[in-house]
């Protein structure tokens, strides 16, 4: 049973002064969620309970950290664990499971040397014990090398599957075998030094030439021109169809946005996209580049150079996707932090943007492995000092210009409590509307949002799905209905579901006609993790596939469907006969 308690506003105000956002007691220990596991490179069968719908056919691919120690060295941060790729192959109501560690350069070097050779987000590489003292001393002055430990997402470019993180390295992966094919460096195609883990794809039919936007942080000529954020377009298909080795050829910069603080750019994880615009969110989670480049000398990881500055405002930069022109009007909001955006679209002269956000941006540095393995009051303290994340809506007036009157709410959308007020000739200050009611507070807010992306990305929509957070990781699955801000919840004590992925029924006409899939971690039981399948309409459990090996809690995934609408209709026809 949950021990989560909603706090009264008066208590919450007092607690905030002590940097406590909640007053939860008795959280169960979840240390096995960040325990190292072995890979399972050969497919194994799973035990099915309930029913896995037979129309689901394809590979459910997941990514996340799976190894937290190398020899006697331990990684400090959850984001540092070596990438472990998972595949749930679903066909005919049956499911098999396999996993492989990503064959990255850092994984290979770490394994061969039995120590941490490449620094990660929160972990500094160990000096080579074979070197003498003077050599080890000099090695501290070397610039840190970017890791290729792509443990965050699965993404697709030109029909190929890649795994990614927030450096400029990706790896092409075979979705059938999970074998690592090749390492791809963004900087070989575009002058960049970092990449978002979450690109966006334009829906087919919206643009004559659909493309994938990939957002990068460029630190080129750092000490001369400062940090620059780049929006990058990748063609949807190979420039030379007969060349299977093609990767990012044809990538171009759509727009470059100078960082407001040239030496302290904002950290970003993703961005928002509507039909005609990209929205880059410059938030007060800042990266002190001097601290980062001197981290090895000081014996500190990259995380030491990332900090939250609540005195700064959040800035929404709008970029026209066709012209690459940066909107002269900047949209500001109070200090907020955001990892994941839900959806954005244009309607009646407004850009409506939904995102998951918090009023504090310190959480990224709290997910150290030691914290996640705590128990008792120490674990409660970690959770209670972390700000909750909630879904919010901002409404940005696209027609605001120097002639627009100041001091009045420009948001004229009916039934919307969000505001947008011009405060200077090139500045509109925005406040948000909550996309939830009080009930969501009892589930600890919501993160890892997903929608019916294929049909509703960049369009008005009704439903989104996510994880409730009454613990350091998701402990419930939630379906949010924006009509009335109603919720449906799947929960079970001791079970921790990961990011929900929506899979539509082939040929579906309704937005929520399909299933939700999530990998559910069971840290208090051995070898009982399972793939959960819910009816997306009712949020009732349809079936689960229990995996006879342990799986750590992961980050993001995707479903690679092999079931076409035509094949689905043919199979239904054959069944009828």
């Amino acid at each position: 049973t949950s021990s989560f308690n909603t706090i009264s506003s008066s208590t919450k105000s007092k607690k905030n002064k002590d940097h406590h956002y909640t007053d939860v007691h008795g959280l169960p220990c979840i240390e096995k969620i960040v325990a190292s596991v072995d890979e399972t490179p050969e497919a194994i069968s799973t035990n099915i309970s309930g029913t896995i719908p037979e129309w689901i056919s394809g590979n459910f691919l997941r990514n996340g950290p799976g190894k937290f120690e190398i020899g006697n060295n331990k990684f400090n941060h959850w984001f540092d664990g070596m990438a472990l790729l998972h595949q749930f192959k679903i066909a005919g109501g049956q499911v098999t499971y396999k996993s492989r560690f990503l064959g990255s350069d850092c994984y290979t070097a770490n394994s061969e040397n039995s120590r941490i050779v490449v620094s990660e987000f929160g972990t500094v590489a160990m000096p080579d014990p074979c070197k003498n003292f003077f050599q080890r001393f000099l090695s501290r002055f070397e610039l840190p090398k970017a890791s290729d430990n792509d443990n965050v997402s699965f993404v697709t470019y030109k029909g190929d599957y890649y795994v990614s993180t927030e450096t400029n390295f990706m790896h092409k992966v075979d979705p059938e075998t999970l074998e690592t094919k090749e390492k791809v460096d963004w900087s070989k195609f575009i002058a960049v030094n970092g990449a978002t883990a979450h690109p966006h794809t334009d829906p087919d039919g919206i643009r004559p030439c659909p493309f994938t936007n990939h957002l990068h942080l460029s630190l080129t000529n750092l000490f001369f021109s400062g940090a620059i954020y780049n929006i990058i377009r990748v063609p949807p298909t190979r420039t030379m169809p007969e060349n299977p080795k093609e990767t990012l050829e044809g990538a171009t910069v759509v727009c470059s946005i100078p960082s407001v603080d040239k030496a302290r750019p904002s950290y970003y994880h993703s961005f928002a996209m509507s039909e005609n615009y990209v929205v880059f969110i410059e938030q007060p989670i800042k990266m002190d580049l001097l601290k980062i480049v001197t981290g090895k000398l000081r014996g500190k990881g990259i995380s030491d150079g990332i900090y939250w500055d609540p005195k700064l405002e959040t800035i929404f930069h709008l970029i026209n996707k066709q012209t690459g022109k940066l909107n002269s009007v900047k949209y500001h909001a109070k200090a907020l932090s955001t990892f994941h955006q839900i959806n954005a679209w244009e309607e009646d002269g407004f850009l409506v943007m939904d995102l998951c956000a918090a009023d504090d941006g310190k959480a990224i540095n709290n997910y150290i492995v030691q914290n996640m393995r705590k128990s008792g009051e120490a674990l409660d303290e970690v959770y209670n000092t972390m700000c909750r994340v909630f879904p919010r809506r901002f409404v940005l007036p696209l027609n605001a210009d120097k002639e627009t009157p100041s001091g009045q709410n420009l948001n004229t959308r009916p039934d919307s409590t969000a505001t947008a007020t011009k405060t200077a000739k090139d500045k509109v200050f925005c406040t948000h509307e909550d996309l939830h009611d009080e009930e969501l507070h009892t589930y600890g807010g919501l993160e890892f949002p997903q929608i019916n992306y294929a049909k509703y990305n960049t369009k008005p929509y009704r439903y989104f799905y996510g994880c409730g957070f009454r613990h350091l990781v998701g402990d419930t699955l939630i379906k949010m209905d924006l009509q009335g801000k109603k919720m449906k919840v799947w929960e079970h004590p001791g079970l921790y579901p990961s990011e929900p992925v929506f899979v539509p029924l082939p040929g579906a006409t309704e937005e929520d006609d399909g299933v939700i899939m999530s990998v559910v971690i069971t840290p208090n039981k051995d070898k009982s993790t399972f793939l959960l399948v819910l009816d997306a309409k009712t949020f009732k459990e349809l079936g689960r596939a229990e995996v006879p090996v342990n799986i750590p809690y992961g980050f993001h995934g995707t479903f690679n469907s092999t079931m076409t609408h035509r094949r689905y209709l043919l199979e239904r026809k054959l069944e009828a006969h």
Side-chain angles (χ1 to χ4, degrees):
T1 56
S2 169
S3 59
F4 191 94
N5 296 312
T6 307
I7 308 168
S8 68
S9 58
S10 58
T11 307
K12 193 180 290 185
S13 175
K14 179 180 181 299
K15 286 287 185 182
N16 275 344
K17 292 177 182 177
D18 300 325
H19 305 295
H20 282 67
Y21 293 96
T22 49
D23 190 21
V24 175
H25 301 282
L27 286 175
C29 179
I30 57 168
E31 63 177 329
K32 289 183 180 177
I33 269 176
V34 286
S36 297
V37 299
D38 296 323
E39 64 181 4
T40 308
E42 300 299 326
I44 57 175
S45 59
T46 64
N47 180 41
I48 306 293
S49 59
T51 302
I52 308 296
E54 294 204 3
W55 61 262
I56 304 176
S57 180
N59 295 327
F60 184 36
L61 305 170
R62 294 276 303 159
N63 194 357
K67 190 175 185 65
F68 298 92
E69 300 87 21
I70 305 290
N72 294 323
N73 300 163
K74 297 181 180 180
F75 289 113
N76 295 325
H77 200 281
W78 187 25
F79 297 174
D80 298 347
M82 293 288 95
L84 182 62
L85 315 181
H86 312 263
Q87 179 213 74
F88 295 84
K89 180 177 282 294
I90 308 171
Q94 297 300 308
V95 180
T96 61
Y97 170 80
K98 70 170 63 168
S99 65
R100 281 183 186 269
F101 282 106
L102 177 67
S104 60
D105 290 350
C106 63
Y107 178 77
T108 302
N110 289 344
S111 300
E112 288 176 351
N113 291 276
S114 295
R115 62 183 178 86
I116 298 174
V117 176
V118 180
S119 295
E120 299 289 345
F121 178 75
T123 307
V124 181
M126 297 292 104
D128 187 347
C130 296
K131 292 182 176 179
N132 62 37
F133 173 80
F134 185 66
Q135 288 172 317
R136 291 200 299 271
F137 175 74
L138 287 180
S139 71
R140 286 183 172 271
F141 294 88
E142 297 172 355
L143 286 176
K145 296 177 181 178
S147 170
D148 65 341
N149 180 32
D150 295 316
N151 65 2
V152 178
S153 294
F154 267 95
V155 298
T156 55
Y157 290 105
K158 305 179 184 180
D160 293 320
Y161 281 80
Y162 296 82
V163 286
S164 66
T165 182
E166 293 174 338
T167 68
N168 51 298
F169 297 116
M170 297 192 303
H171 286 86
K172 187 184 287 190
V173 172
D174 186 327
E176 288 297 326
T177 65
L178 297 183
E179 291 178 357
T180 305
K181 291 301 183 183
E182 64 181 296
K183 178 178 174 178
V184 179
D185 184 351
W186 275 97
S187 67
K188 302 296 184 187
F189 304 91
I190 302 286
V192 297
N193 299 89
T196 176
H198 296 274
H200 276 294
T201 305
D202 255 347
D204 289 335
I206 293 293
R207 298 266 73 79
C209 178
F211 57 81
T212 300
N213 281 318
H214 205 90
L215 181 65
H216 294 268
L217 173 63
S218 173
L219 307 181
T220 312
N221 298 322
L222 167 63
F223 296 106
F224 297 98
S225 61
I228 298 171
Y229 314 105
N230 295 302
I231 305 297
I232 294 173
R233 174 184 294 156
V234 177
T237 56
R238 294 190 178 102
T239 55
M240 296 194 308
E242 70 282 358
N243 181 15
K245 290 189 174 295
E246 182 175 316
T247 56
L248 303 176
E249 284 81 357
T252 57
V253 175
V254 175
C255 180
S256 295
I257 309 161
S259 172
V260 170
D261 185 336
K262 293 182 178 182
R264 295 179 177 85
S266 291
Y267 168 83
Y268 58 85
H269 188 70
S270 189
F271 59 101
M273 186 178 79
S274 66
E275 180 181 349
N276 294 295
Y277 293 92
V278 167
V279 186
F280 173 64
I281 303 169
E282 196 166 12
Q283 61 185 338
I285 302 178
K286 308 299 285 184
M287 298 187 288
D288 188 323
L289 298 179
L290 185 60
K291 274 193 171 183
I292 290 173
V293 299
T294 60
K296 193 170 183 181
L297 175 64
R298 299 180 298 108
K300 300 288 186 179
I302 295 169
S303 59
D304 181 63
I306 295 182
Y307 65 98
W308 166 248
D309 188 346
K311 300 186 297 297
L312 299 177
E313 292 182 347
T314 303
I315 305 172
F316 305 134
H317 299 275
L318 265 63
I319 303 98
N320 186 297
K321 289 195 300 194
Q322 280 67 56
T323 66
K325 186 177 180 181
L326 181 63
N327 197 328
S328 59
V329 173
K330 300 291 185 288
Y331 302 87
H332 288 236
K334 69 176 185 177
L336 63 82
S337 67
T338 177
F339 278 77
H340 302 111
Q341 293 70 57
I342 306 169
N343 199 6
W345 73 96
E346 299 150 46
E347 194 172 47
D348 302 326
F350 296 95
L351 190 150
V352 184
M353 177 174 63
D354 296 348
L355 47 79
C356 289
D359 295 322
D360 178 288
K362 298 176 183 175
I364 191 171
N365 285 325
N366 284 341
Y367 278 98
I368 59 174
V369 174
Q370 182 182 354
N371 280 349
M372 300 183 73
R373 290 176 175 172
K374 285 180 177 178
S375 60
E377 291 183 5
L379 176 60
D380 297 342
E381 178 75 6
V382 172
Y383 179 81
N384 289 325
T385 52
M386 291 171 61
C387 190
R388 308 275 74 83
V389 179
F390 289 96
R392 297 174 176 177
R393 171 169 295 174
F394 287 91
V395 179
L396 314 181
L398 293 172
N399 300 323
D401 57 27
K402 61 183 180 181
E403 305 299 330
T404 303
S406 300
Q408 64 186 53
N409 182 15
L410 303 176
N411 178 18
T412 56
R413 286 175 62 85
D415 304 319
S416 173
T417 58
T419 69
T421 307
K422 185 180 172 185
T423 58
K425 68 174 183 177
D426 60 352
K427 177 180 176 180
V428 173
F429 189 84
C430 304
T431 66
H432 69 269
E433 170 190 354
D434 288 330
L435 293 181
H436 62 91
D437 59 18
E438 282 300 310
E439 185 181 7
L440 187 57
H441 285 270
T442 66
Y443 289 95
L446 181 146
E447 252 290 7
F448 290 129
Q450 290 281 320
I451 63 169
N452 182 342
Y453 191 92
K455 278 199 170 183
Y456 290 88
N457 175 41
T458 75
K459 298 178 183 178
Y461 72 114
R462 179 174 174 179
Y463 304 106
F464 65 95
Y465 312 87
C467 291
F469 272 73
R470 294 179 299 192
H471 210 302
L472 297 181
V473 297
D475 73 328
T476 58
L477 290 172
I478 296 174
K479 176 184 181 180
M480 296 293 297
D481 183 348
L482 291 173
Q483 288 189 11
K485 299 178 181 178
K486 300 172 184 175
M487 293 171 47
K488 288 184 180 359
V489 179
W490 181 91
E491 62 179 318
H492 196 289
L495 301 183
Y496 298 86
S498 53
E499 175 190 58
V501 172
F502 177 83
V503 180
L505 179 73
T509 56
E510 295 184 43
E511 183 180 345
D512 60 346
D513 197 359
V515 298
I516 288 294
M517 294 197 293
S518 173
V519 177
V520 180
I521 311 300
T522 55
N524 302 319
K525 296 180 181 178
D526 190 47
K527 299 178 181 177
S528 56
T529 293
F530 59 91
L531 173 65
L532 173 70
V533 180
L534 302 179
D535 183 311
K537 276 184 176 294
T538 64
F539 233 49
K540 300 295 184 184
E541 182 173 334
L542 297 175
R544 57 177 72 177
E546 295 183 359
V547 184
V549 296
N550 290 319
I551 301 175
Y553 198 94
F555 296 137
H556 296 290
T558 189
F559 184 67
N560 173 18
S561 179
T562 56
M563 177 67 77
T564 63
H565 186 210
R566 184 177 179 181
R567 178 184 158 196
Y568 175 71
L569 292 175
L570 180 61
E571 290 185 3
R572 298 288 78 75
K573 190 174 181 179
L574 291 173
E575 284 179 5
H577 286 283

